[in-house]
């Protein structure tokens, strides 16, 4: 069994040391990734851009691997079985995992799965984020209208790719794009 809370406790300072914010720590089982090993996903973002570029992902991956190795040498193994470390940016249709996500993306379309049913015994919602009041999410569901639910009832939530979201998202990092295009033309 993998202790996500302990991994998060170890990973978050490493993420912050590089000036990034931790978005999510998740372990995918072998059947979920279709492989012989599990996958440890670390999702982070640069708070200035909302993204990580490839060099950021590589730097963070090295830092996390080094920290895990250091802990293992000291006698603490965070993941007992073989695993693959995946460090990534949240992307434009990002998961919503922190209270700030629900506030920052108010007005955007999202899909949310709840642990407790609301409005006619529904756990799956699709609509627009309408805000965050304390620890309560306000949501304009397409079927139920305005609903409210506590953050801790959310199993999963993610933004839906729309023209509005594309317009609101900062452009991705384009440094080096010209060199890539030139290589492809050769």
């Amino acid at each position: 069994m993998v202790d996500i809370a302990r991994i998060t406790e170890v990973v978050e300072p490493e993420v912050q040391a590089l000036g990034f914010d931790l978005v999510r720590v998740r372990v995918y089982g072998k059947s979920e990734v279709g492989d012989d090993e599990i996958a440890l996903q670390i999702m982070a973002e640069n708070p200035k851009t909302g993204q990580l570029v490839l060099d950021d992902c590589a730097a963070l991956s090295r830092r996390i691997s080094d920290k895990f190795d250091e802990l293992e040498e000291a006698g603490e193994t965070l993941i007992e079985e073989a695993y693959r470390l995946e460090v990534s940016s949240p992307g434009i249709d990002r998961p919503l995992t922190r209270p700030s996500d629900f506030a920052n993306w108010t007005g955007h379309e999202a899909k949310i799965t709840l642990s407790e049913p609301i409005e006619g015994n529904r756990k799956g919602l699709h609509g627009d984020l309408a805000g965050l009041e304390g620890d309560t999410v306000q949501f304009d569901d397409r079927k139920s209208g305005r609903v409210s639910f506590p953050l801790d009832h959310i199993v999963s939530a993610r933004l839906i790719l729309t023209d509005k979201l594309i317009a609101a998202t900062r452009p991705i990092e384009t440094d080096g794009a010209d060199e890539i295009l030139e290589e492809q033309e050769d």
Side-chain angles (χ1 to χ4, degrees):
M1 184 58 110
V2 177
D3 185 348
I4 293 291
R6 176 62 181 137
I7 291 173
T8 301
E9 184 181 291
V10 169
V11 165
E12 191 155 29
E14 303 306 317
V15 171
Q16 292 172 344
L18 292 175
F20 306 139
D21 291 337
L22 184 62
V23 174
R24 177 171 76 187
V25 175
R26 187 169 179 185
V27 173
Y28 290 95
K30 295 174 187 177
S31 63
E32 292 175 285
V33 293
D35 205 346
D36 292 334
E37 57 190 16
I38 63 174
L40 171 61
Q41 180 194 63
I42 308 296
M43 195 176 285
E45 68 182 355
N46 181 325
K48 295 175 187 167
T49 64
Q51 66 177 340
L52 288 186
V53 296
L54 188 58
D55 288 343
D56 296 337
C57 291
L60 184 54
S61 180
R62 283 189 298 275
R63 190 172 183 103
I64 291 168
S65 292
D66 290 348
K67 184 65 177 181
F68 279 29
D69 289 347
E70 177 185 316
L71 289 172
E72 194 166 319
E73 287 174 17
E76 181 180 8
T77 302
L78 296 174
I79 301 176
E80 294 290 336
E81 60 187 298
Y83 70 95
R84 180 177 58 250
L85 176 61
E86 297 176 356
V87 176
S88 68
S89 179
I92 193 167
D93 53 347
R94 63 187 304 123
L96 305 168
T97 60
R98 306 163 291 182
S100 61
D101 293 335
F102 293 90
N104 294 342
W105 296 102
T106 293
H108 289 279
E109 190 175 338
K111 281 191 176 181
I112 299 177
T113 303
L114 301 172
S115 61
E116 305 289 327
I118 60 166
E119 301 295 324
N121 205 29
R122 294 183 58 231
K123 290 184 180 182
L125 305 173
H126 183 179
D128 295 325
L129 293 171
L132 183 67
E133 296 176 8
D135 288 335
T136 302
V137 175
Q138 304 297 316
F139 192 75
D140 291 328
D141 183 58
R142 295 238 161 91
K143 291 182 180 175
S144 304
R146 175 68 56 98
V147 294
S148 302
F149 46 87
L151 280 168
D152 63 1
H153 285 198
I154 297 171
V155 173
S156 67
R158 68 175 178 86
L159 291 176
I160 302 298
L161 184 62
T162 63
D163 290 341
K164 182 179 180 181
L165 180 60
I166 292 168
T169 304
R170 296 175 190 105
I172 60 170
E173 179 67 47
T174 58
D175 289 348
D178 292 337
E179 290 102 28
I180 292 171
L181 289 174
E182 287 175 13
E183 287 176 14
Q184 290 175 348
E185 291 171 359
D186 291 343

